[in-house]
Amino acid sequence: MKTVAGVYRLSLGAAEKTTPVKLFGPEGAQAPLAEGGPPPFGAGSITSRVTKRGFVIELPMKNDEDFYGFGLQFHSFNHAGRRRFMKVNSDPAADTGESHAPVPFYVSTAGYGLLVDTFRYVTFYLGTSGAKGSSKDCVEPEKEHREFSEQSLYALKRAKNERRILIEIPHCHGADIYFFEGPSMLDAVCRYNLFSGGGCLPPLWALGNWYRVYGGANQEQVVKLAKQFRKDDMPVDVIGLEPGWHTHSYSCTYLWNKALFSEPEELLRELKSRGYHLNLWEHVFVHPSSALYEKLESCSGDYEVWGGLVPDLADTKVRDLFGGYHRENFVDKGVSGFKLDECDNSDFNPSNWSFPELSAFPSGLDGEQMHSALGPLYQRTIEKTFRDRGIRTFGGVRSSWAVAAGSPFVLYSDLYDHRQFIRALVNSGFSGLLWTPEVRSCADSEDFIRRLQSVVFSPQSLLNCWRIPNPPWFQTDIEKNLAGEQMPESDCITAIAKKYLELRMALIPYLYSSFWRYRLEGLPPVRSLALDYQYDDRARSVDDHYMFGDSLMVAPVFRGEKSRNVFLPLGEWYDFWTHERFAGGQVLAYETPLERIPVFVKSGSILPLAEPVQFVDENGIFNLIVFCFGGGEKHFTLYEDDGISLAHEKGRYNTFLLVQDKAGKVNAARTGTEPPRYDIKEWKLIDGESNAPKPTFGGVVNWKAET
Ligand code: GAL
């Protein structure tokens, strides 16, 4: 059955009552989907059956087919030939498919995407197993004498038999699967995101820098730090409070701890007057002394977590209760968002870290389903509290699942491998997820800068300093930071950090436009080269650089590296820092002094960069320098609205089209009647082969760190 253009549903067996699409619909019916190519195989080639263990679906697969997606994956990139187990797990230490945010959705190089609409711990076998007998007529007869080598022992005999995709969903008798047409993987991803309601649009301020303060900080210390940032011109938009603000945090009371925060309203006023937004840490497990406890007791799961209730958020009434409390006590008082922690289960932590799979919830969900549903339900509950007041929010979350592209929350993790964090960033864009490789613990100041350089090129520029009272540019060692001991290289590191925080501010108009495209077209703001350059085999294996918006390709550097190889896809590219031009289709050996992360601009791009400000002022104007890279006609659309409300959903926004025509002439045209947010100060045409450093904003290019 065809549901909307380019999206098909196939109902197999008896589907369960509660599924992601049924809960979070509306099946994309309202989404403006475009027509695409036909699905790669007909429904007739798909089989399904009920087994003792649950429900099995089999689909055809080509021998050379590659697969991407499955949510926030840290350990691998192309999943062909692998088994993927979609189980929410806060410690995805091995490459099993488990994750904070596994998503039963993949895209295939055969030109389609597939979603299994379930909250169950579904397993995908992507060409791992042939059916009995299917290899019999395909393998060469073995020689009588064989040399022994370990290699030959395990060498995979690529069977010429038909390979299949096997999908097993436990404890059910059927499921709906959704096909998303291509023809390219990018088309399928965009359709999936539009089907999910379109990507989220963060408030403009949320694209600035985030700083989560020390868990034990009190009101005076928070205000002192906030004043210090402004004094030192370190741009920060959002201050985040960690567990200490609750009277009890594990489980949560959602009550201000007056020992640390004697006058929360005063804190909000102080922060607001300096241009900050406040974000509060919490999780969903409700402490007995919380005002919510009694109301939620009868509508929670039958097991506790940290002595608290697990509210049954699958019930609308429960969402309204939980959300209503937040609206009244925090949103209406000026809190701008929340960090939704600990909703991602845990198998390896001792003690009562989450509820068991055998739990039962009044809505009829069991613990397994609730583990998958909790993250997305929590996000929707909190988002609605802001929506009901006509404003946008943006926050952090530790778990997600399918059909979540519209939720304004960014995933983060306690795992801390920088390389894995970047792979997760590259992978997140396949499945409608946002991810931040947050800066937290750092091995040393080099590690800090390398992590900072990549986080400013991510959906959320987040410094999570919850374990240190002083900023990481003052001291990266936790013990020394706690002791107030400044590191010797602090001045130099502070200067580099400042330039990168400013760079983030310079990128806001460009990034905001990328989010608009996410919302309107489903195009992920951060995405793998495999999506933009699917037909180039080399791009399909790159898991450590990515597209950031339409024009920038970012190749993060890891601690200890003095240079790195950068793959430039076909076309022409300009070094972001020097404006040197390079032919695409090559691997470039790139020197990476500490102050430099390799970033390349696609030729044919218009890149607006703003003069950095300290924070996004509600009514402020961004002064732009507009760079035109390469020859030929090109354009870029900026979006202007109030940046905070939902008025844009009613069409209240301007488009501001930047154009360079074939002859090189530039022009900007605004449509709409909203107050302008952008003022073009200068156009710069970049179309040469110069090696000379050209400061693009504030001078990072010329700046040399004394390391
Ligand atoms: C973790 C979270 C950290 C921090 C900490 C506080 O679960 O990932 O960022 O918030 O809790 O207890």
Side-chain angles (χ1 to χ4, degrees):
M1 175 195 166
K2 187 167 177 173
T3 58
V4 285
V7 182
Y8 299 81
R9 180 175 59 217
L10 184 62
S11 298
L12 301 165
E16 290 189 284
K17 197 173 113 237
T18 310
T19 69
V21 175
K22 286 177 194 154
L23 207 53
F24 305 135
E27 299 194 359
Q30 284 95 319
L33 294 163
E35 287 288 349
F41 40 77
S45 56
I46 300 167
T47 62
S48 62
R49 59 186 183 275
V50 176
T51 70
K52 250 195 332 204
R53 291 160 52 92
F55 193 67
V56 172
I57 304 170
E58 292 199 22
L59 302 118
M61 166 184 167
K62 296 192 179 112
N63 267 347
D64 60 353
E65 201 169 333
D66 289 335
F67 300 94
Y68 301 88
F70 297 107
L72 189 74
Q73 294 296 324
F74 291 89
H75 301 282
S76 53
F77 178 55
N78 175 359
H79 305 289
R82 291 175 193 273
R83 171 185 186 269
R84 301 287 71 170
F85 180 41
M86 299 290 95
K87 177 174 188 290
V88 175
N89 183 349
S90 67
D91 304 291
D95 189 15
T96 58
E98 290 164 76
S99 158
H100 306 274
V103 179
F105 171 75
Y106 67 75
V107 281
S108 154
T109 47
Y112 74 98
L114 182 134
L115 169 72
V116 179
D117 186 25
T118 183
F119 283 124
R120 295 275 165 210
Y121 293 167
V122 48
T123 304
F124 294 78
Y125 298 83
L126 300 151
T128 54
S129 320
K132 180 167 75 179
S134 60
S135 300
K136 213 163 50 180
D137 303 325
C138 310
V139 292
E140 303 289 319
E142 294 292 346
K143 294 191 200 88
E144 226 166 277
H145 299 285
R146 162 167 80 100
E147 293 292 318
F148 177 82
S149 78
E150 227 184 275
Q151 225 181 1
S152 69
L153 192 61
Y154 302 117
L156 182 71
K157 298 257 177 345
R158 267 285 145 99
K160 294 189 199 73
N161 60 343
E162 191 200 11
R163 299 171 88 197
R164 305 279 288 169
I165 298 165
L166 314 179
I167 302 171
E168 187 185 44
I169 315 165
H171 317 303
C172 69
H173 294 111
D176 291 346
I177 54 178
Y178 288 82
F179 288 90
F180 300 84
E181 282 182 2
S184 71
M185 293 198 290
L186 185 57
D187 293 319
V189 166
C190 291
R191 280 181 212 286
Y192 169 73
N193 289 337
L194 289 176
F195 175 80
S196 311
C200 70
L201 183 69
L204 205 46
W205 54 261
L207 299 182
N209 297 300
W210 292 54
Y211 190 101
R212 304 205 73 89
V213 302
Y214 179 52
N218 63 25
Q219 185 162 340
E220 289 67 44
Q221 287 158 336
V222 173
V223 172
K224 192 170 160 218
L225 198 63
K227 285 183 180 164
Q228 193 65 39
F229 292 155
R230 293 292 180 251
K231 190 162 157 266
D232 298 344
D233 290 336
M234 296 301 259
V236 173
D237 268 281
V238 186
I239 295 278
L241 299 188
E242 286 288 313
W245 77 268
H246 294 256
T247 50
H248 194 276
S249 322
Y250 285 78
S251 44
C252 283
T253 54
Y254 320 97
L255 277 178
W256 287 99
N257 169 9
K258 292 291 170 68
L260 292 181
F261 297 93
S262 52
E263 290 179 76
E265 296 192 10
E266 181 55 27
L267 171 72
L268 276 153
R269 253 193 312 278
E270 284 264 18
L271 292 178
K272 189 166 182 225
S273 70
R274 292 181 172 79
Y276 292 103
H277 288 262
L278 184 69
N279 180 286
L280 296 180
W281 175 99
E282 65 165 51
H283 55 69
V284 73
F285 308 117
V286 182
H287 188 261
S289 70
S290 162
L292 276 165
Y293 192 91
E294 234 174 80
K295 295 185 188 128
L296 291 173
E297 202 169 1
S298 61
C299 32
S300 296
D302 50 357
Y303 289 91
E304 297 180 336
V305 177
W306 295 304
L309 297 173
V310 185
D312 186 356
L313 294 182
D315 178 345
T316 327
K317 285 198 303 295
V318 178
R319 294 206 290 275
D320 287 348
L321 254 171
F322 193 84
Y325 177 90
H326 281 71
R327 189 166 41 243
E328 201 180 309
N329 292 286
F330 306 113
V331 179
D332 288 349
K333 303 243 158 85
V335 171
S336 298
F338 296 87
K339 167 174 170 178
L340 314 181
D341 211 15
E342 317 291 14
C343 47
D344 49 357
N345 199 7
S346 177
D347 289 341
F348 306 134
N349 272 312
S351 91
N352 178 213
W353 209 265
S354 199
F355 50 90
E357 269 78 358
L358 53 82
S359 304
F361 289 83
S363 62
L365 290 195
D366 60 35
E368 174 184 347
Q369 292 167 301
M370 188 54 99
H371 276 307
S372 316
L374 189 60
L377 282 169
Y378 196 6
Q379 293 173 55
R380 277 157 210 260
T381 306
I382 294 297
E383 188 203 354
K384 186 166 179 293
T385 62
F386 289 91
R387 230 173 208 283
D388 288 350
R389 289 290 183 258
I391 47 177
R392 282 177 255 170
T393 184
F394 205 55
V397 70
R398 271 268 295 272
S399 183
S400 203
W401 190 260
V403 207
S407 287
F409 290 88
V410 186
L411 291 150
Y412 61 93
S413 168
D414 278 352
L415 299 190
Y416 215 58
D417 185 283
H418 193 192
R419 234 171 238 287
Q420 287 179 14
F421 268 27
I422 298 305
R423 190 178 295 115
L425 185 59
V426 174
N427 279 330
S428 58
F430 289 115
S431 316
L433 301 177
L434 299 175
W435 157 258
T436 174
E438 67 173 31
V439 178
R440 204 177 77 180
S441 319
C442 306
D444 53 23
S445 50
E446 179 193 356
D447 194 29
F448 164 61
I449 293 296
R450 291 314 189 192
R451 287 173 186 271
L452 181 67
Q453 285 168 338
S454 46
V455 87
V456 301
F457 288 101
S458 84
Q460 190 185 37
S461 178
L462 170 63
L463 281 83
N464 181 5
C465 302
W466 81 278
R467 299 181 70 194
I468 47 174
N470 299 295
W473 49 83
F474 174 85
Q475 174 60 263
T476 52
D477 181 284
I478 296 182
E479 293 311 318
K480 290 184 183 159
N481 193 305
L482 285 161
E485 196 181 309
Q486 189 168 14
M487 59 190 183
E489 69 274 33
S490 170
D491 284 353
C492 154
I493 295 301
T494 304
I496 304 181
K498 184 170 175 198
K499 289 303 172 191
Y500 275 93
L501 296 176
E502 285 176 350
L503 171 57
R504 174 67 180 204
M505 301 310 284
L507 288 165
I508 287 180
Y510 167 76
L511 186 55
Y512 195 51
S513 284
S514 307
F515 271 103
W516 267 89
R517 292 197 68 185
Y518 192 31
R519 178 177 145 68
L520 298 176
E521 301 162 42
L523 184 72
V526 175
R527 53 191 189 273
S528 155
L529 301 186
L531 286 176
D532 284 38
Y533 300 94
Q534 175 183 337
Y535 304 104
D536 184 339
D537 285 354
R538 292 166 301 178
R540 292 225 309 267
S541 60
V542 176
D543 66 353
D544 64 355
H545 24 311
Y546 54 91
M547 295 302 297
F548 185 69
D550 259 5
S551 321
L552 298 178
M553 189 187 69
V554 182
V557 182
F558 305 103
R559 177 172 175 248
E561 290 181 345
K562 298 276 174 277
S563 68
R564 68 154 299 172
N565 286 344
V566 180
F567 169 69
L568 296 177
L570 289 176
E572 277 191 340
W573 295 85
Y574 286 83
D575 186 319
F576 177 77
W577 308 106
T578 66
H579 297 168
E580 189 179 353
R581 188 169 64 188
F582 294 93
Q586 61 163 324
V587 176
L588 203 66
Y590 193 95
E591 297 291 318
T592 54
L594 185 59
E595 68 274 18
R596 178 78 63 89
I597 175 175
V599 179
F600 288 84
V601 191
K602 193 161 66 178
S603 180
S605 303
I606 291 186
L607 178 67
L609 290 178
E611 279 171 17
V613 285
Q614 290 306 302
F615 59 92
V616 177
D617 187 344
E618 230 170 82
N619 304 308
I621 295 270
F622 286 97
N623 292 323
L624 301 181
I625 301 178
V626 179
F627 291 82
C628 300
F629 285 90
E633 205 176 302
K634 51 185 87 65
H635 59 88
F636 185 85
T637 304
L638 286 163
Y639 292 84
E640 291 174 318
D641 67 348
D642 61 22
I644 46 170
S645 81
L646 303 174
H648 66 93
E649 291 178 1
K650 300 203 168 70
R652 289 196 45 196
Y653 61 90
N654 305 333
T655 54
F656 190 28
L657 182 67
L658 313 177
V659 186
Q660 185 183 29
D661 68 17
K662 272 196 207 109
K665 213 168 125 249
V666 295
N667 195 14
R670 184 174 269 120
T671 50
T673 52
E674 298 305 305
R677 292 210 77 116
Y678 304 120
D679 188 11
I680 300 177
K681 291 292 171 205
E682 200 184 342
W683 291 79
K684 286 196 180 186
L685 312 187
I686 312 295
D687 194 11
E689 265 180 75
S690 163
N691 252 325
K694 293 192 176 94
T696 48
F697 60 92
V700 163
V701 175
N702 290 325
W703 195 82
K704 185 92 190 91
E706 291 148 30
T707 46

